[in-house]
């Protein structure tokens, strides 16, 4: 059980580090790595493809992280934690009455008076 958890944690950390690298390599103004591969013009060969690749890789890594987290929770959860229900409350059994008597609520008979 712990080896599966460890494997998922390692995969999540690797994907997270790659995602950080992808986000840091992008320029918020749209230049990113394309600026280092031939100036600021995106008309040069391969530069627009670099921007597209970086954007797709960022979204893909984000989705992979979400899927890995969900899978790790589902696969490493203990069965007792998945369907944990409160025990049913037991009611006291109804009082047994003698045959032929009425079950409706009646006033108890008064106790006999003590002799003075």
């Amino acid at each position: 059980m712990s080896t599966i958890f460890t494997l998922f944690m390692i995969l999540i950390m690797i994907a997270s580090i790659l995602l950080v690298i992808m986000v840091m390599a992008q320029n918020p103004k749209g230049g990113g790595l394309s600026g280092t591969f031939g100036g600021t013009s995106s008309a040069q060969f391969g530069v627009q493809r670099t921007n597209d690749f970086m954007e797709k890789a960022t979204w893909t890594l984000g989705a992979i992280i979400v899927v890995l987290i969900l899978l790790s929770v589902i696969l490493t959860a203990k069965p007792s934690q998945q369907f944990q229900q409160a025990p049913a409350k037991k009611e006291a059994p109804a009082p047994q009455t003698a045959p032929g008597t009425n079950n409706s609520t009646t006033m108890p008979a008064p106790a006999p008076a003590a002799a003075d």
Side-chain angles (χ1 to χ4, degrees):
M1 181 71 107
S2 65
T3 57
I4 293 174
F5 181 74
T6 305
L7 176 68
F8 276 112
M9 290 304 294
I10 290 171
L11 290 175
I12 291 169
M13 285 190 285
I14 290 171
S16 298
I17 291 169
L18 289 174
L19 181 63
V20 167
I21 292 170
M22 285 292 179
V23 170
M24 295 298 287
Q26 294 177 10
N27 187 358
K29 295 180 182 177
L33 285 181
S34 64
T36 61
F37 292 132
T40 57
S41 173
S42 62
Q44 294 183 2
F45 179 74
V47 174
Q48 185 61 36
R49 290 184 185 167
T50 302
N51 286 338
D52 291 341
F53 170 76
M54 296 287 278
E55 184 177 351
K56 288 179 184 179
T58 302
W59 284 105
T60 303
L61 284 170
I64 287 172
I65 291 171
V66 170
V67 169
L68 284 174
I69 290 171
L70 291 175
L71 282 175
S72 68
V73 169
I74 292 170
L75 295 177
T76 61
K78 295 178 183 174
S80 63
Q81 292 175 345
Q82 289 178 353
F83 302 106
Q84 194 174 34
Q85 295 178 352
K89 294 181 180 178
K90 293 183 180 180
E91 294 183 16
Q96 299 273 337
T97 58
T101 60
N102 189 0
N103 281 346
S104 65
T105 57
T106 58
M107 298 298 287
D116 288 330

